[in-house]
Amino acid sequence: MGKVGQVLWEGIALVLTMLFGYTSISKWYDWGGTQNAMYNQVFPDWMATLLLYGLPVLEMALAIMLLMPKTRELSLWISLFCL
């Protein structure tokens, strides 16, 4: 991979890090709003509870993994399925 390709992958990883970090922090910051939003979805309550607690943790873990070169490729693939 050339220098341009490497810079492109670094840029994509940085943008996704900011995206996942921001969404995770905003879910924790406005916990009541996030909880209301999750329980107003069409899926069952047990799934809303699972997503309510699991999604911010997954997003923050992905943001951290995207910062580390050893886990960057795996986290890019995982983030592809999360978007």
Side-chain angles (χ1 to χ4, degrees):
M1 181 180 303
K3 187 166 179 86
V4 174
Q6 185 67 26
V7 170
L8 184 63
W9 281 115
E10 295 282 331
I12 291 169
L14 181 62
V15 168
L16 286 172
T17 298
M18 291 186 302
L19 173 76
F20 286 125
Y22 170 77
T23 57
S24 177
I25 290 170
S26 69
K27 284 182 178 116
W28 280 326
Y29 183 73
D30 184 22
W31 187 255
T34 303
Q35 193 172 20
N36 288 336
M38 284 294 177
Y39 287 113
N40 284 329
Q41 300 299 317
V42 296
F43 40 79
D45 283 347
W46 65 269
M47 190 180 293
T49 303
L50 183 68
L51 289 172
L52 179 66
Y53 292 103
L55 208 54
V57 173
L58 174 68
E59 289 168 342
M60 188 54 72
L62 273 173
I64 292 168
M65 287 174 61
L66 282 163
L67 291 174
M68 295 183 275
K70 288 186 177 183
T71 60
R72 186 167 295 139
E73 185 176 351
L74 174 64
S75 58
L76 282 169
W77 281 106
I78 295 170
S79 65
L80 178 68
F81 294 106
C82 289
L83 295 174

